[in-house]
Amino acid sequence: MATTTVAEKSPAPTAGSPAEAGVRSATFRVWRGDATGGAFRDYTIDVAPGMVVLDAIHQIQAEQANDLAVRWNCKAGKCGSCSAEINGKPRLMCMTRLNDLPLEKPVTVEPMHTFPRIKDLVTDVSWNFRVKKGITKFTPRPPDAPDGTWRMQQSDVDRVQEFRKCIECFLCQDVCHVLREHEKEDEFIGPRFLVYVAALEMHPLDVADRVPELQKSHGIGYCNITKCCTTVCPEGITITDNAIIPLKERVVDEFYDPIGKLVKIFSRKRRS
């Protein structure tokens, strides 16, 4: 892939200059292009202690590439907007500190691979929102108290709290090999939405049955629990162990457990 180097010359540091406070030169290899194609370009800038990758991208945008497209919002690791691949790993640019990267060689910054590219570091993640619309919504049971409220165990509440931390950065979707390498978007909803289903299925008030959807339209069988989604989650959600595996167990109990099938058959005969 072609590489173009774009760098500005910095003045030699003088006594008392910021260079003495830890400022150093670093090169960022940024992917530039759109849906039709593109290439990496090198930008060399001065970086200071405490900077994150998003700071460097903003500096490049301000000083050398005014037309560089990047999506971001909060710069606090909570909006999920600045997802990218840094040195080949899906990460949030605002939460990736430069002092954690090997700056003696170029830092590669490119858009997420799983989603269509729009321009530079911006990708089209709208597929995710379409997927979410196809998941059966929260369906609460009738209130169980005279005042129209519900009663539930704190342990049941705690179980689903973890899933609510998701910021929809879609890094787990990006790293999932079912979507990234096999392009099963029409058959598999991906780890982010398996977490969403788990939050609904395990909710102590919800009574909807999404297990048939998991087995059929949601394609949970494609996941082979490599835990790559858990590894990249910036919120530390234990996606595989706490969400996907319990859902898989429900599918197995419903469709593949021979003893369970016998119980259902005899139950239907008794009712008839």
Side-chain angles (χ1 to χ4, degrees):
M1 187 174 288
T3 300
T4 304
T5 302
V6 181
E8 289 187 347
K9 293 183 179 180
S10 301
T14 58
S17 70
E20 296 182 350
V23 173
R24 58 171 295 184
S25 177
T27 298
F28 293 83
R29 186 159 291 163
V30 184
W31 193 87
R32 303 296 310 276
D34 54 29
T36 63
F40 285 93
R41 297 183 185 176
D42 285 2
Y43 301 93
T44 301
I45 61 172
D46 288 335
V47 299
M51 288 179 64
V52 295
V53 170
L54 186 58
D55 291 325
I57 294 298
H58 283 165
Q59 187 169 329
I60 292 168
Q61 190 181 53
E63 298 176 354
Q64 302 182 37
N66 301 145
D67 61 342
L68 172 61
V70 57
R71 180 183 286 132
W72 71 285
N73 187 18
C74 74
K75 199 176 176 288
K78 292 301 176 184
C79 73
S81 299
C82 65
S83 298
E85 300 197 7
I86 302 167
N87 286 347
K89 181 179 179 181
R91 307 178 73 169
L92 292 176
M93 288 188 282
C94 71
M95 300 302 289
T96 305
R97 295 197 171 276
L98 298 186
N99 59 8
D100 293 331
L101 300 174
L103 297 182
E104 64 275 5
K105 54 185 179 182
V107 176
T108 302
V109 186
E110 57 190 313
M112 291 188 286
H113 282 205
T114 298
F115 306 110
R117 297 177 177 184
I118 297 177
K119 185 183 179 193
D120 301 337
L121 301 178
V122 180
T123 55
D124 180 3
V125 296
S126 60
W127 169 80
N128 295 280
F129 306 119
R130 294 193 295 273
V131 167
K132 196 170 189 178
K133 290 180 180 179
I135 296 172
T136 299
K137 303 298 184 288
F138 176 68
T139 308
R141 57 180 166 82
D144 51 18
D147 61 355
T149 59
W150 293 265
R151 301 293 181 268
M152 64 194 87
Q153 296 296 320
Q154 184 62 45
S155 58
D156 293 332
V157 176
D158 293 340
R159 186 181 189 188
V160 298
Q161 283 298 99
E162 175 189 16
F163 306 142
R164 294 180 176 273
K165 297 192 299 180
C166 177
I167 60 175
E168 295 202 328
C169 60
F170 304 126
L171 292 177
C172 62
Q173 302 283 74
D174 181 46
V175 78
C176 175
H177 66 93
V178 180
L179 299 173
R180 185 185 183 100
E181 298 170 12
H182 301 288
E183 301 179 348
K184 294 290 186 179
E185 291 87 354
D186 294 336
E187 305 172 55
F188 183 60
I189 62 175
R192 186 291 170 259
F193 295 107
L194 291 177
V195 168
Y196 180 64
V197 172
L200 296 170
E201 279 289 294
M202 300 176 193
H203 195 291
L205 299 185
D206 187 86
V207 294
D209 181 12
R210 300 172 188 82
V211 174
E213 296 174 3
L214 285 168
Q215 193 263 352
K216 297 175 183 176
S217 58
H218 297 344
I220 193 172
Y222 280 114
C223 174
N224 60 359
I225 57 176
T226 58
K227 299 189 179 185
C228 51
C229 52
T230 300
T231 301
V232 301
C233 179
E235 287 295 310
I237 302 172
T238 313
I239 298 172
T240 309
D241 291 349
N242 292 353
I244 297 178
I245 290 178
L247 292 180
K248 277 178 169 284
E249 291 171 346
R250 295 188 182 201
V251 170
V252 169
D253 290 344
E254 177 73 21
F255 293 99
Y256 305 107
D257 180 10
I259 297 177
K261 284 187 176 181
L262 288 174
V263 170
K264 290 177 185 177
I265 292 172
F266 285 115
S267 297
R268 284 196 295 269
K269 287 184 177 179
R270 291 195 192 97
R271 288 196 297 269
S272 61

